[in-house]
Amino acid sequence: MQPPFHGLTEFVSLSAQDIEIVRGWLVTRRTLPRARMLRREGDPITGVFFLLEGWVCASLMLRNGRRQIVKVYLPGDLLGFPSLALPAAGETLEAVTNISVCTISAPAIGKLLQHQPRLAAGLFLSTQKERVALMQKLSWVGAASAMERLAALLLDLLGRLDVAGLVRDGRFDLPLTQAQLGDLLGLTAVHVNRTLKRLDQLGYVVRGKGWIRIVDLPGLESLAPNLPPQFAGPVAWTRLGGGLASQSHEVDG
Amino acid sequence: MQPPFHGLTEFVSLSAQDIEIVRGWLVTRRTLPRARMLRREGDPITGVFFLLEGWVCASLMLRNGRRQIVKVYLPGDLLGFPSLALPAAGETLEAVTNISVCTISAPAIGKLLQHQPRLAAGLFLSTQKERVALMQKLSWVGAASAMERLAALLLDLLGRLDVAGLVRDGRFDLPLTQAQLGDLLGLTAVHVNRTLKRLDQLGYVVRGKGWIRIVDLPGLESLAPNLPPQFAGPVAWTRLGGGLASQSHEVDG
DNA sequence: CGTCCTGTTGAATAAAATCAACTACGGTGG
DNA sequence: CCACCGTAGTTGATTTTATTCAACAGGACG
């Protein structure tokens, strides 16, 4: 299987050395079974992960006993970056399915940030993209009804899985339990169940065990409170592919 | 007034050239009145902002007519980075109070990412910190009661304003209206009002017009669903202050 | 064959939203 | 100077949405 590098080359074109480094990550590849924790909140920070196959979710535990899943990671995603700013992990990373991941040590990231400006810029922009996605998720949970949240989530997953080549005829695997969907959207499992049933009855989706099919895409899109943002792509505002520009600290108002 | 650079030096020590660049930002300083938009969702991306004085909030509009404030920025914060990954702004930036800001053009950020590895690494980690904060906010909105959300928000503001030297005896200015607090926490203004009143009556806080005082800090902390995370600080996992290390793509499992 | 997990459904309950007044306040303009 | 208006805060009554509690069905798995 071709490693899913689409996320890394989205914003910048990598140098030969960059590519060599990324390929180097692959030697750490290993598989983990469903429900295994890659890390728990509070664990010391060892590094980050590159997900090759399967689904992973990042979650926070709250003192009131509830948990919030803050992100579902799909093949090609980089995991664990937020905790780099912390002395101990701020998020639990749990395999939702059997997965295949690579490990990248924190010092390796440090060296990369110092010596591989292209790759570093790519990671930087990729991180900003994650922030945008997180902001949108916050807007779903904070300001949308259960139906709107579910519609937005399904569209988000559809788009991201499509990029990874994991959608056929609008149908994709959905390995999350309804309880996990609830933790993700700030709803109870019971309410997720009722809402999914309603989406089904209204003809938006068809459900099977472990999968779902989007039947009425325009309908779902009109239900969703916002659409997945368009990203800038490699021809961004900065000529990161260009030669060495002047180092003057150019500033304008 | 000393410019609030505490956020920039939190993770890395800057080189002389880095510092020169940051000081260069200050020449773009300007003031804007309360309620002025720095940018609207959909505007073309010109660059990012460095907030010197006042409060700014970043928000998303939803199609259902509601809006979600995703972040309140305080003096010393860098604004607008997430939209660098987008062709058009993904967030509206609005001055909550009269403010003083600097502008940094997108190409300037691009050059910085290529040629100033220290500063770039500092911005990178600062961005990860923002992600952690956003993840926590998502957990409040998705999995906490109105009282818990308000307690967590007040503690967050207290801590951040304290760093900026804007707290005296537990009291700080709170220029947000109750409607804005509602948009921030995923509640209605009416419910924010009732909840604040309850926090007051229970002896956690004292309110005045435009300010609030935290009277029972331990009490509020026990109410909050999670505490502000500790950040790694300048002695992080990576020797960004050290000399040039080998460029080998070090990886471990 | 039993047990656990996941999904499903119903009934009762709780939390927050909605609707509607009303107050206080600051600014604006006559 | 004062009347007026819009904004922000407050409170009560009612409704909606989602939660909670409870029970049961189907499958997977040991």
Side-chain angles (χ1 to χ4, degrees):
Chain A
M1 194 197 72
Q2 195 71 357
F5 288 152
H6 51 270
L8 289 166
T9 55
E10 180 174 3
F11 294 106
V12 298
S13 54
L14 301 182
S15 72
Q17 199 183 23
D18 291 335
I19 291 171
E20 188 193 343
I21 288 176
V22 170
R23 301 201 75 84
W25 296 345
L26 297 178
V27 306
T28 64
R29 175 179 188 148
R30 63 188 162 139
T31 60
L32 290 178
R34 191 178 142 276
R36 176 69 57 84
M37 307 285 179
L38 277 82
R39 87 159 43 134
R40 281 169 214 273
E41 243 173 298
D43 282 356
I45 303 298
T46 59
V48 300
F49 305 92
F50 180 48
L51 184 60
L52 296 175
E53 293 174 88
W55 292 36
V56 169
C57 71
S59 60
L60 305 187
M61 277 303 302
L62 279 71
R63 289 221 234 108
N64 61 16
R66 319 246 294 252
R67 82 165 170 170
Q68 178 69 41
I69 296 180
V70 291
K71 172 87 185 183
V72 171
Y73 291 101
L74 306 178
D77 286 339
L78 287 159
L79 290 66
F81 269 92
S83 292
L84 285 180
L86 305 176
E91 45 177 2
T92 297
L93 297 175
E94 178 183 355
V96 173
T97 65
N98 294 338
I99 61 171
S100 165
V101 278
C102 304
T103 308
I104 310 159
S105 74
I109 297 292
K111 285 183 183 147
L112 186 158
L113 289 179
Q114 279 189 289
H115 304 297
Q116 311 299 138
R118 290 264 193 92
L119 189 45
L123 291 180
F124 183 81
L125 289 175
S126 160
T127 287
Q128 302 311 331
K129 178 179 164 178
E130 292 283 316
R131 271 176 84 182
V132 172
L134 198 47
M135 284 162 40
Q136 280 210 348
K137 197 159 302 169
L138 176 59
S139 78
W140 302 346
V141 173
S145 69
M147 198 118 90
E148 291 168 336
R149 292 181 212 187
L150 228 8
L153 175 66
L154 291 174
L155 289 176
D156 176 58
L157 290 175
L158 180 71
R160 292 170 60 206
L161 288 166
D162 197 32
V163 170
L166 296 172
V167 178
R168 279 203 358 190
D169 293 331
R171 175 183 153 165
F172 55 87
D173 283 345
L174 185 59
L176 297 168
T177 66
Q178 292 179 354
Q180 288 171 323
L181 289 172
D183 287 347
L184 185 53
L185 295 175
L187 301 169
T188 57
V190 171
H191 201 56
V192 167
N193 183 292
R194 289 193 236 267
T195 309
L196 275 176
K197 180 182 162 192
R198 202 137 71 94
L199 283 176
D200 194 331
Q201 287 176 338
L202 294 173
Y204 293 108
V205 303
V206 173
R207 294 173 296 158
K209 61 175 187 317
W211 58 267
I212 197 167
R213 166 172 280 135
I214 309 302
V215 180
D216 181 3
L217 183 59
L220 264 195
E221 283 171 344
S222 70
L223 220 54
N226 48 27
L227 297 182
Q230 299 297 319
F231 292 100
V235 288
W237 40 269
T238 175
R239 295 197 220 90
L240 287 165
L244 294 179
S246 119
Q247 296 195 20
S248 73
H249 50 282
E250 179 175 293
V251 170
D252 56 26
Chain B
M1 192 198 72
Q2 195 71 354
F5 287 153
H6 50 268
L8 289 166
T9 55
E10 180 174 2
F11 294 105
V12 298
S13 55
L14 301 181
S15 72
Q17 198 183 23
D18 291 335
I19 292 171
E20 188 192 343
I21 289 176
V22 171
R23 301 201 75 85
W25 296 345
L26 297 178
V27 307
T28 65
R29 175 178 187 149
R30 63 189 162 138
T31 60
L32 291 177
R34 191 178 141 278
R36 176 69 58 82
M37 307 287 179
L38 277 81
R39 86 159 45 134
R40 281 170 214 272
E41 247 174 298
D43 282 357
I45 303 298
T46 59
V48 300
F49 306 92
F50 180 47
L51 184 60
L52 295 175
E53 293 175 88
W55 293 36
V56 169
C57 71
S59 60
L60 305 186
M61 277 303 302
L62 279 72
R63 289 224 230 102
N64 61 16
R66 318 249 289 257
R67 83 165 169 169
Q68 178 68 41
I69 296 180
V70 290
K71 172 90 186 182
V72 171
Y73 291 101
L74 305 178
D77 287 337
L78 286 159
L79 292 65
F81 269 92
S83 291
L84 285 180
L86 305 176
E91 45 177 3
T92 297
L93 297 175
E94 178 183 355
V96 172
T97 64
N98 294 338
I99 61 171
S100 165
V101 278
C102 303
T103 308
I104 311 160
S105 75
I109 296 292
K111 284 182 185 147
L112 187 159
L113 289 179
Q114 279 189 290
H115 303 298
Q116 312 298 137
R118 289 263 194 93
L119 189 46
L123 291 179
F124 184 80
L125 288 176
S126 160
T127 287
Q128 302 311 331
K129 179 179 164 177
E130 292 283 317
R131 271 177 84 182
V132 172
L134 198 47
M135 283 162 39
Q136 279 211 348
K137 197 160 300 169
L138 177 59
S139 78
W140 303 346
V141 173
S145 69
M147 196 117 91
E148 292 168 335
R149 292 181 212 187
L150 228 8
L153 176 66
L154 291 175
L155 289 176
D156 176 59
L157 290 175
L158 180 71
R160 292 169 60 204
L161 288 167
D162 196 33
V163 170
L166 297 172
V167 178
R168 279 204 359 190
D169 292 331
R171 176 182 152 164
F172 55 88
D173 283 346
L174 185 60
L176 298 167
T177 67
Q178 293 179 355
Q180 287 171 323
L181 289 173
D183 288 348
L184 184 53
L185 295 175
L187 301 170
T188 58
V190 172
H191 201 57
V192 166
N193 182 291
R194 289 194 236 266
T195 308
L196 275 177
K197 181 183 161 194
R198 203 137 70 93
L199 283 176
D200 195 331
Q201 287 176 338
L202 293 173
Y204 293 108
V205 302
V206 173
R207 294 172 297 157
K209 61 175 186 316
W211 58 266
I212 197 166
R213 166 172 280 136
I214 309 301
V215 180
D216 180 5
L217 183 60
L220 264 194
E221 283 171 343
S222 69
L223 219 55
N226 48 28
L227 297 182
Q230 299 298 319
F231 292 101
V235 288
W237 40 270
T238 176
R239 296 196 220 90
L240 288 165
L244 294 178
S246 117
Q247 296 195 18
S248 73
H249 50 281
E250 180 175 290
V251 170
D252 55 27

Short mmCIF file of all heavy atoms in Angstrom, two decimals, chain A residues 4 12 24 54 71 132 160 199:
data_model
loop_
_atom_site.label_atom_id
_atom_site.label_comp_id
_atom_site.label_asym_id
_atom_site.label_seq_id
_atom_site.Cartn_x
_atom_site.Cartn_y
_atom_site.Cartn_z
N PRO A 4 0.21 7.13 2.93
CA PRO A 4 -0.64 8.32 2.71
C PRO A 4 0.10 9.61 3.06
O PRO A 4 -0.04 10.14 4.14
CB PRO A 4 -1.83 8.08 3.64
CG PRO A 4 -1.31 7.19 4.73
CD PRO A 4 -0.17 6.42 4.16
N VAL A 12 3.36 22.50 0.85
CA VAL A 12 4.70 22.78 0.32
C VAL A 12 5.17 21.58 -0.49
O VAL A 12 4.72 20.46 -0.28
CB VAL A 12 5.71 23.03 1.47
CG1 VAL A 12 5.32 24.24 2.29
CG2 VAL A 12 5.82 21.80 2.36
N GLY A 24 12.14 7.92 6.34
CA GLY A 24 12.79 7.37 7.52
C GLY A 24 11.80 7.05 8.64
O GLY A 24 11.99 6.11 9.42
N GLY A 54 -6.14 2.84 9.71
CA GLY A 54 -7.05 2.76 10.84
C GLY A 54 -7.43 4.12 11.40
O GLY A 54 -7.02 5.16 10.88
N LYS A 71 -10.93 14.96 18.50
CA LYS A 71 -10.54 14.79 17.11
C LYS A 71 -10.52 13.32 16.75
O LYS A 71 -10.07 12.49 17.54
CB LYS A 71 -9.14 15.37 16.92
CG LYS A 71 -8.50 15.13 15.57
CD LYS A 71 -8.86 16.19 14.56
CE LYS A 71 -8.30 15.87 13.20
NZ LYS A 71 -8.57 16.91 12.23
N VAL A 132 -8.15 25.24 12.40
CA VAL A 132 -9.40 25.64 11.74
C VAL A 132 -10.45 24.56 11.93
O VAL A 132 -11.61 24.85 12.26
CB VAL A 132 -9.16 25.90 10.24
CG1 VAL A 132 -10.48 26.12 9.52
CG2 VAL A 132 -8.24 27.09 10.04
N ARG A 160 -12.81 13.83 4.30
CA ARG A 160 -11.46 13.42 4.68
C ARG A 160 -11.19 11.99 4.23
O ARG A 160 -10.06 11.66 3.82
CB ARG A 160 -11.29 13.57 6.18
CG ARG A 160 -11.30 15.02 6.64
CD ARG A 160 -11.38 15.15 8.13
NE ARG A 160 -10.25 14.51 8.79
CZ ARG A 160 -10.27 14.03 10.03
NH1 ARG A 160 -11.37 14.12 10.74
NH2 ARG A 160 -9.21 13.46 10.54
N LEU A 199 -32.17 10.82 10.71
CA LEU A 199 -31.47 11.10 9.46
C LEU A 199 -31.75 10.00 8.45
O LEU A 199 -31.86 10.24 7.24
CB LEU A 199 -29.96 11.21 9.70
CG LEU A 199 -29.46 12.51 10.33
CD1 LEU A 199 -27.97 12.43 10.60
CD2 LEU A 199 -29.76 13.70 9.43
#
